[in-house]
mmCIF file of all heavy atoms in Angstrom:
data_model
loop_
_atom_site.group_PDB
_atom_site.id
_atom_site.type_symbol
_atom_site.label_atom_id
_atom_site.label_comp_id
_atom_site.label_asym_id
_atom_site.label_seq_id
_atom_site.Cartn_x
_atom_site.Cartn_y
_atom_site.Cartn_z
ATOM 1 N N TRP A 217 -51.395 -41.625 -9.000
ATOM 2 C CA TRP A 217 -51.617 -40.202 -8.781
ATOM 3 C C TRP A 217 -50.789 -39.706 -7.593
ATOM 4 O O TRP A 217 -50.814 -40.315 -6.509
ATOM 5 C CB TRP A 217 -53.095 -39.926 -8.543
ATOM 6 C CG TRP A 217 -53.973 -40.532 -9.620
ATOM 7 C CD1 TRP A 217 -53.626 -40.787 -10.921
ATOM 8 C CD2 TRP A 217 -55.315 -40.996 -9.483
ATOM 9 N NE1 TRP A 217 -54.674 -41.362 -11.599
ATOM 10 C CE2 TRP A 217 -55.725 -41.503 -10.751
ATOM 11 C CE3 TRP A 217 -56.233 -41.033 -8.423
ATOM 12 C CZ2 TRP A 217 -56.988 -42.036 -10.974
ATOM 13 C CZ3 TRP A 217 -57.498 -41.555 -8.646
ATOM 14 C CH2 TRP A 217 -57.878 -42.042 -9.906
ATOM 15 N N PRO A 218 -50.044 -38.628 -7.775
ATOM 16 C CA PRO A 218 -49.082 -38.189 -6.750
ATOM 17 C C PRO A 218 -49.666 -38.046 -5.345
ATOM 18 O O PRO A 218 -49.034 -38.442 -4.366
ATOM 19 C CB PRO A 218 -48.587 -36.839 -7.298
ATOM 20 C CG PRO A 218 -48.730 -36.981 -8.784
ATOM 21 C CD PRO A 218 -49.971 -37.793 -8.999
ATOM 22 N N ARG A 219 -50.872 -37.498 -5.214
ATOM 23 C CA ARG A 219 -51.421 -37.244 -3.884
ATOM 24 C C ARG A 219 -51.858 -38.517 -3.166
ATOM 25 O O ARG A 219 -52.145 -38.485 -1.961
ATOM 26 C CB ARG A 219 -52.602 -36.267 -3.976
ATOM 27 C CG ARG A 219 -52.181 -34.868 -4.416
ATOM 28 C CD ARG A 219 -53.336 -33.900 -4.378
ATOM 29 N NE ARG A 219 -53.830 -33.658 -3.030
ATOM 30 C CZ ARG A 219 -54.845 -32.841 -2.750
ATOM 31 N NH1 ARG A 219 -55.467 -32.202 -3.729
ATOM 32 N NH2 ARG A 219 -55.252 -32.667 -1.515
ATOM 33 N N LEU A 220 -51.902 -39.641 -3.886
ATOM 34 C CA LEU A 220 -52.321 -40.887 -3.256
ATOM 35 C C LEU A 220 -51.157 -41.824 -2.940
ATOM 36 O O LEU A 220 -51.341 -42.835 -2.255
ATOM 37 C CB LEU A 220 -53.328 -41.615 -4.153
ATOM 38 C CG LEU A 220 -54.650 -40.891 -4.404
ATOM 39 C CD1 LEU A 220 -55.584 -41.749 -5.242
ATOM 40 C CD2 LEU A 220 -55.330 -40.497 -3.086
ATOM 41 N N ARG A 221 -49.968 -41.494 -3.405
ATOM 42 C CA ARG A 221 -48.825 -42.361 -3.139
ATOM 43 C C ARG A 221 -48.486 -42.422 -1.649
ATOM 44 O O ARG A 221 -47.773 -43.333 -1.210
ATOM 45 C CB ARG A 221 -47.601 -41.886 -3.926
ATOM 46 C CG ARG A 221 -47.675 -42.230 -5.412
ATOM 47 C CD ARG A 221 -46.452 -41.736 -6.163
ATOM 48 N NE ARG A 221 -46.459 -42.178 -7.547
ATOM 49 C CZ ARG A 221 -45.851 -43.274 -8.004
ATOM 50 N NH1 ARG A 221 -45.180 -44.037 -7.154
ATOM 51 N NH2 ARG A 221 -45.908 -43.604 -9.271
ATOM 52 N N LYS A 222 -49.010 -41.492 -0.872
ATOM 53 C CA LYS A 222 -48.773 -41.514 0.572
ATOM 54 C C LYS A 222 -49.329 -42.781 1.225
ATOM 55 O O LYS A 222 -48.943 -43.132 2.346
ATOM 56 C CB LYS A 222 -49.402 -40.291 1.232
ATOM 57 C CG LYS A 222 -50.917 -40.247 1.132
ATOM 58 C CD LYS A 222 -51.487 -38.992 1.775
ATOM 59 C CE LYS A 222 -53.013 -38.958 1.685
ATOM 60 N NZ LYS A 222 -53.564 -37.727 2.329
ATOM 61 N N TYR A 223 -50.237 -43.466 0.534
ATOM 62 C CA TYR A 223 -50.832 -44.666 1.098
ATOM 63 C C TYR A 223 -50.020 -45.929 0.807
ATOM 64 O O TYR A 223 -50.373 -47.011 1.288
ATOM 65 C CB TYR A 223 -52.256 -44.848 0.562
ATOM 66 C CG TYR A 223 -53.215 -43.797 1.067
ATOM 67 C CD1 TYR A 223 -53.897 -42.960 0.187
ATOM 68 C CD2 TYR A 223 -53.430 -43.618 2.431
ATOM 69 C CE1 TYR A 223 -54.768 -42.000 0.643
ATOM 70 C CE2 TYR A 223 -54.308 -42.651 2.905
ATOM 71 C CZ TYR A 223 -54.976 -41.839 2.005
ATOM 72 O OH TYR A 223 -55.832 -40.876 2.469
ATOM 73 N N ASN A 224 -48.947 -45.819 0.040
ATOM 74 C CA ASN A 224 -48.146 -47.005 -0.286
ATOM 75 C C ASN A 224 -47.689 -47.767 0.963
ATOM 76 O O ASN A 224 -47.714 -48.995 1.003
ATOM 77 C CB ASN A 224 -46.925 -46.621 -1.116
ATOM 78 C CG ASN A 224 -47.265 -46.379 -2.580
ATOM 79 O OD1 ASN A 224 -48.423 -46.357 -2.968
ATOM 80 N ND2 ASN A 224 -46.244 -46.189 -3.402
ATOM 81 N N ASP A 225 -47.283 -47.021 1.990
ATOM 82 C CA ASP A 225 -46.760 -47.654 3.197
ATOM 83 C C ASP A 225 -47.848 -48.347 4.015
ATOM 84 O O ASP A 225 -47.542 -49.131 4.916
ATOM 85 C CB ASP A 225 -46.046 -46.630 4.074
ATOM 86 C CG ASP A 225 -44.753 -46.120 3.444
ATOM 87 O OD1 ASP A 225 -44.230 -46.816 2.543
ATOM 88 O OD2 ASP A 225 -44.269 -45.056 3.847
ATOM 89 N N LYS A 226 -49.098 -48.044 3.719
ATOM 90 C CA LYS A 226 -50.200 -48.648 4.474
ATOM 91 C C LYS A 226 -50.698 -49.944 3.850
ATOM 92 O O LYS A 226 -51.482 -50.671 4.468
ATOM 93 C CB LYS A 226 -51.367 -47.662 4.581
ATOM 94 C CG LYS A 226 -51.076 -46.438 5.428
ATOM 95 C CD LYS A 226 -52.343 -45.641 5.697
ATOM 96 C CE LYS A 226 -52.066 -44.498 6.657
ATOM 97 N NZ LYS A 226 -53.323 -43.776 7.028
ATOM 98 N N LEU A 227 -50.232 -50.239 2.640
ATOM 99 C CA LEU A 227 -50.794 -51.368 1.909
ATOM 100 C C LEU A 227 -50.391 -52.708 2.516
ATOM 101 O O LEU A 227 -51.248 -53.552 2.829
ATOM 102 C CB LEU A 227 -50.373 -51.302 0.437
ATOM 103 C CG LEU A 227 -50.959 -52.392 -0.466
ATOM 104 C CD1 LEU A 227 -52.483 -52.364 -0.448
ATOM 105 C CD2 LEU A 227 -50.434 -52.241 -1.898
ATOM 106 N N GLU A 228 -49.089 -52.942 2.698
ATOM 107 C CA GLU A 228 -48.664 -54.240 3.206
ATOM 108 C C GLU A 228 -49.164 -54.495 4.633
ATOM 109 O O GLU A 228 -49.590 -55.625 4.939
ATOM 110 C CB GLU A 228 -47.148 -54.396 3.124
ATOM 111 C CG GLU A 228 -46.708 -55.833 3.334
ATOM 112 C CD GLU A 228 -45.262 -56.070 2.931
ATOM 113 O OE1 GLU A 228 -44.364 -55.626 3.675
ATOM 114 O OE2 GLU A 228 -45.043 -56.695 1.877
ATOM 115 N N PRO A 229 -49.161 -53.495 5.525
ATOM 116 C CA PRO A 229 -49.760 -53.738 6.844
ATOM 117 C C PRO A 229 -51.235 -54.145 6.766
ATOM 118 O O PRO A 229 -51.687 -54.995 7.546
ATOM 119 C CB PRO A 229 -49.577 -52.405 7.569
ATOM 120 C CG PRO A 229 -48.364 -51.811 6.942
ATOM 121 C CD PRO A 229 -48.461 -52.197 5.487
ATOM 122 N N LEU A 230 -51.969 -53.556 5.818
ATOM 123 C CA LEU A 230 -53.363 -53.951 5.639
ATOM 124 C C LEU A 230 -53.453 -55.388 5.147
ATOM 125 O O LEU A 230 -54.305 -56.167 5.608
ATOM 126 C CB LEU A 230 -54.051 -52.998 4.657
ATOM 127 C CG LEU A 230 -55.519 -53.298 4.339
ATOM 128 C CD1 LEU A 230 -56.375 -53.295 5.604
ATOM 129 C CD2 LEU A 230 -56.061 -52.279 3.331
ATOM 130 N N TYR A 231 -52.576 -55.761 4.221
ATOM 131 C CA TYR A 231 -52.545 -57.143 3.753
ATOM 132 C C TYR A 231 -52.257 -58.114 4.909
ATOM 133 O O TYR A 231 -52.871 -59.191 4.998
ATOM 134 C CB TYR A 231 -51.468 -57.312 2.679
ATOM 135 C CG TYR A 231 -51.857 -56.829 1.304
ATOM 136 C CD1 TYR A 231 -50.881 -56.449 0.384
ATOM 137 C CD2 TYR A 231 -53.184 -56.767 0.899
ATOM 138 C CE1 TYR A 231 -51.216 -56.033 -0.892
ATOM 139 C CE2 TYR A 231 -53.529 -56.342 -0.374
ATOM 140 C CZ TYR A 231 -52.536 -55.975 -1.265
ATOM 141 O OH TYR A 231 -52.885 -55.560 -2.527
ATOM 142 N N ARG A 232 -51.329 -57.763 5.762
ATOM 143 C CA ARG A 232 -51.014 -58.626 6.895
ATOM 144 C C ARG A 232 -52.236 -58.794 7.802
ATOM 145 O O ARG A 232 -52.524 -59.902 8.287
ATOM 146 C CB ARG A 232 -49.840 -58.046 7.700
ATOM 147 C CG ARG A 232 -48.490 -58.144 6.997
ATOM 148 C CD ARG A 232 -47.412 -57.426 7.796
ATOM 149 N NE ARG A 232 -46.097 -57.534 7.184
ATOM 150 C CZ ARG A 232 -45.216 -58.482 7.458
ATOM 151 N NH1 ARG A 232 -45.509 -59.411 8.361
ATOM 152 N NH2 ARG A 232 -44.041 -58.509 6.859
ATOM 153 N N ARG A 233 -52.929 -57.713 8.020
ATOM 154 C CA ARG A 233 -54.109 -57.743 8.887
ATOM 155 C C ARG A 233 -55.184 -58.660 8.304
ATOM 156 O O ARG A 233 -55.750 -59.501 9.017
ATOM 157 C CB ARG A 233 -54.639 -56.326 9.075
ATOM 158 C CG ARG A 233 -55.927 -56.235 9.852
ATOM 159 C CD ARG A 233 -56.349 -54.788 10.024
ATOM 160 N NE ARG A 233 -57.616 -54.675 10.720
ATOM 161 C CZ ARG A 233 -58.189 -53.520 11.060
ATOM 162 N NH1 ARG A 233 -57.572 -52.374 10.781
ATOM 163 N NH2 ARG A 233 -59.353 -53.490 11.688
ATOM 164 N N VAL A 234 -55.479 -58.488 7.020
ATOM 165 C CA VAL A 234 -56.527 -59.285 6.387
ATOM 166 C C VAL A 234 -56.106 -60.748 6.283
ATOM 167 O O VAL A 234 -56.917 -61.660 6.487
ATOM 168 C CB VAL A 234 -56.884 -58.708 5.004
ATOM 169 C CG1 VAL A 234 -57.885 -59.607 4.279
ATOM 170 C CG2 VAL A 234 -57.449 -57.292 5.141
ATOM 171 N N THR A 235 -54.837 -60.991 5.974
ATOM 172 C CA THR A 235 -54.338 -62.368 5.891
ATOM 173 C C THR A 235 -54.489 -63.090 7.223
ATOM 174 O O THR A 235 -54.899 -64.262 7.271
ATOM 175 C CB THR A 235 -52.869 -62.375 5.443
ATOM 176 O OG1 THR A 235 -52.760 -61.795 4.141
ATOM 177 C CG2 THR A 235 -52.315 -63.795 5.409
ATOM 178 N N LYS A 236 -54.173 -62.413 8.306
ATOM 179 C CA LYS A 236 -54.322 -63.014 9.633
ATOM 180 C C LYS A 236 -55.767 -63.411 9.890
ATOM 181 O O LYS A 236 -56.048 -64.497 10.433
ATOM 182 C CB LYS A 236 -53.843 -62.033 10.701
ATOM 183 C CG LYS A 236 -53.930 -62.591 12.118
ATOM 184 C CD LYS A 236 -53.429 -61.581 13.137
ATOM 185 C CE LYS A 236 -53.551 -62.144 14.555
ATOM 186 N NZ LYS A 236 -53.110 -61.155 15.569
ATOM 187 N N ILE A 237 -56.708 -62.554 9.466
ATOM 188 C CA ILE A 237 -58.131 -62.849 9.652
ATOM 189 C C ILE A 237 -58.529 -64.071 8.835
ATOM 190 O O ILE A 237 -59.232 -64.965 9.330
ATOM 191 C CB ILE A 237 -58.970 -61.623 9.261
ATOM 192 C CG1 ILE A 237 -58.756 -60.492 10.268
ATOM 193 C CG2 ILE A 237 -60.452 -61.974 9.155
ATOM 194 C CD1 ILE A 237 -59.350 -59.163 9.839
ATOM 195 N N ILE A 238 -58.078 -64.128 7.592
ATOM 196 C CA ILE A 238 -58.406 -65.278 6.743
ATOM 197 C C ILE A 238 -57.817 -66.562 7.316
ATOM 198 O O ILE A 238 -58.483 -67.607 7.366
ATOM 199 C CB ILE A 238 -57.891 -65.049 5.308
ATOM 200 C CG1 ILE A 238 -58.713 -63.946 4.623
ATOM 201 C CG2 ILE A 238 -57.948 -66.343 4.494
ATOM 202 C CD1 ILE A 238 -58.183 -63.539 3.265
ATOM 203 N N ARG A 239 -56.578 -66.496 7.778
ATOM 204 C CA ARG A 239 -55.900 -67.693 8.280
ATOM 205 C C ARG A 239 -56.555 -68.233 9.566
ATOM 206 O O ARG A 239 -56.371 -69.406 9.897
ATOM 207 C CB ARG A 239 -54.422 -67.404 8.527
ATOM 208 C CG ARG A 239 -53.618 -67.228 7.237
ATOM 209 C CD ARG A 239 -53.624 -68.506 6.434
ATOM 210 N NE ARG A 239 -52.819 -68.425 5.206
ATOM 211 C CZ ARG A 239 -53.240 -68.807 4.025
ATOM 212 N NH1 ARG A 239 -54.472 -69.281 3.883
ATOM 213 N NH2 ARG A 239 -52.464 -68.736 2.962
ATOM 214 N N GLU A 240 -57.310 -67.426 10.242
ATOM 215 C CA GLU A 240 -58.030 -67.912 11.417
ATOM 216 C C GLU A 240 -59.114 -68.922 11.050
ATOM 217 O O GLU A 240 -59.479 -69.765 11.873
ATOM 218 C CB GLU A 240 -58.643 -66.735 12.178
ATOM 219 C CG GLU A 240 -57.617 -65.852 12.872
ATOM 220 C CD GLU A 240 -58.222 -64.586 13.449
ATOM 221 O OE1 GLU A 240 -59.455 -64.390 13.276
ATOM 222 O OE2 GLU A 240 -57.504 -63.804 14.082
ATOM 223 N N VAL A 241 -59.622 -68.836 9.813
ATOM 224 C CA VAL A 241 -60.698 -69.743 9.402
ATOM 225 C C VAL A 241 -60.307 -70.631 8.221
ATOM 226 O O VAL A 241 -60.983 -71.627 7.950
ATOM 227 C CB VAL A 241 -61.978 -68.958 9.044
ATOM 228 C CG1 VAL A 241 -62.505 -68.213 10.252
ATOM 229 C CG2 VAL A 241 -61.749 -68.002 7.874
ATOM 230 N N ASP A 242 -59.242 -70.280 7.522
ATOM 231 C CA ASP A 242 -58.856 -71.026 6.318
ATOM 232 C C ASP A 242 -57.337 -71.075 6.209
ATOM 233 O O ASP A 242 -56.707 -70.118 5.749
ATOM 234 C CB ASP A 242 -59.454 -70.352 5.076
ATOM 235 C CG ASP A 242 -59.187 -71.141 3.793
ATOM 236 O OD1 ASP A 242 -58.349 -72.067 3.818
ATOM 237 O OD2 ASP A 242 -59.794 -70.826 2.763
ATOM 238 N N PRO A 243 -56.734 -72.189 6.592
ATOM 239 C CA PRO A 243 -55.278 -72.309 6.511
ATOM 240 C C PRO A 243 -54.778 -72.808 5.167
ATOM 241 O O PRO A 243 -53.562 -72.903 4.964
ATOM 242 C CB PRO A 243 -54.969 -73.340 7.605
ATOM 243 C CG PRO A 243 -56.167 -74.240 7.603
ATOM 244 C CD PRO A 243 -57.350 -73.343 7.290
ATOM 245 N N ASN A 244 -55.684 -73.131 4.244
ATOM 246 C CA ASN A 244 -55.292 -73.880 3.054
ATOM 247 C C ASN A 244 -55.152 -73.077 1.769
ATOM 248 O O ASN A 244 -54.276 -73.359 0.956
ATOM 249 C CB ASN A 244 -56.300 -75.020 2.813
ATOM 250 C CG ASN A 244 -56.241 -76.076 3.889
ATOM 251 O OD1 ASN A 244 -55.166 -76.469 4.320
ATOM 252 N ND2 ASN A 244 -57.399 -76.516 4.359
ATOM 253 N N HIS A 245 -56.026 -72.127 1.522
ATOM 254 C CA HIS A 245 -56.018 -71.457 0.227
ATOM 255 C C HIS A 245 -54.893 -70.428 0.120
ATOM 256 O O HIS A 245 -54.449 -69.856 1.120
ATOM 257 C CB HIS A 245 -57.362 -70.775 -0.034
ATOM 258 C CG HIS A 245 -58.458 -71.745 -0.363
ATOM 259 N ND1 HIS A 245 -59.390 -72.168 0.557
ATOM 260 C CD2 HIS A 245 -58.740 -72.392 -1.518
ATOM 261 C CE1 HIS A 245 -60.214 -73.024 -0.014
ATOM 262 N NE2 HIS A 245 -59.847 -73.190 -1.271
ATOM 263 N N CYS A 246 -54.474 -70.188 -1.109
ATOM 264 C CA CYS A 246 -53.404 -69.222 -1.365
ATOM 265 C C CYS A 246 -53.892 -67.800 -1.089
ATOM 266 O O CYS A 246 -55.037 -67.452 -1.383
ATOM 267 C CB CYS A 246 -52.931 -69.306 -2.813
ATOM 268 S SG CYS A 246 -52.188 -70.885 -3.271
ATOM 269 N N ILE A 247 -53.008 -66.994 -0.560
ATOM 270 C CA ILE A 247 -53.223 -65.547 -0.428
ATOM 271 C C ILE A 247 -52.533 -64.883 -1.614
ATOM 272 O O ILE A 247 -51.355 -65.154 -1.894
ATOM 273 C CB ILE A 247 -52.640 -65.015 0.887
ATOM 274 C CG1 ILE A 247 -53.353 -65.652 2.087
ATOM 275 C CG2 ILE A 247 -52.719 -63.500 0.940
ATOM 276 C CD1 ILE A 247 -54.818 -65.304 2.223
ATOM 277 N N ILE A 248 -53.255 -64.030 -2.331
ATOM 278 C CA ILE A 248 -52.730 -63.394 -3.540
ATOM 279 C C ILE A 248 -52.662 -61.888 -3.307
ATOM 280 O O ILE A 248 -53.657 -61.266 -2.924
ATOM 281 C CB ILE A 248 -53.613 -63.727 -4.752
ATOM 282 C CG1 ILE A 248 -53.709 -65.252 -4.905
ATOM 283 C CG2 ILE A 248 -53.052 -63.097 -6.018
ATOM 284 C CD1 ILE A 248 -54.691 -65.710 -5.961
ATOM 285 N N LEU A 249 -51.493 -61.320 -3.534
ATOM 286 C CA LEU A 249 -51.220 -59.928 -3.187
ATOM 287 C C LEU A 249 -50.889 -59.106 -4.423
ATOM 288 O O LEU A 249 -50.022 -59.483 -5.218
ATOM 289 C CB LEU A 249 -50.055 -59.859 -2.198
ATOM 290 C CG LEU A 249 -50.223 -60.703 -0.919
ATOM 291 C CD1 LEU A 249 -48.951 -60.684 -0.099
ATOM 292 C CD2 LEU A 249 -51.408 -60.214 -0.102
ATOM 293 N N GLU A 250 -51.579 -57.975 -4.571
ATOM 294 C CA GLU A 250 -51.326 -57.047 -5.672
ATOM 295 C C GLU A 250 -50.576 -55.824 -5.165
ATOM 296 O O GLU A 250 -50.750 -55.384 -4.025
ATOM 297 C CB GLU A 250 -52.641 -56.632 -6.319
ATOM 298 C CG GLU A 250 -53.430 -57.774 -6.909
ATOM 299 C CD GLU A 250 -54.587 -57.302 -7.789
ATOM 300 O OE1 GLU A 250 -54.453 -56.248 -8.438
ATOM 301 O OE2 GLU A 250 -55.613 -57.997 -7.814
#
Side-chain angles (χ1 to χ4, degrees):
W217 309 333
R219 293 185 66 180
L220 297 183
R221 285 180 174 266
K222 65 181 181 179
Y223 292 121
N224 282 8
D225 292 340
K226 293 190 174 185
L227 183 58
E228 193 166 74
L230 179 58
Y231 281 156
R232 289 174 178 268
R233 175 178 178 177
V234 175
T235 298
K236 181 179 179 182
I237 291 170
I238 290 173
R239 289 297 183 228
E240 290 172 359
V241 297
D242 185 347
N244 293 318
H245 286 100
C246 297
I247 297 295
I248 303 173
L249 305 173
E250 299 192 33

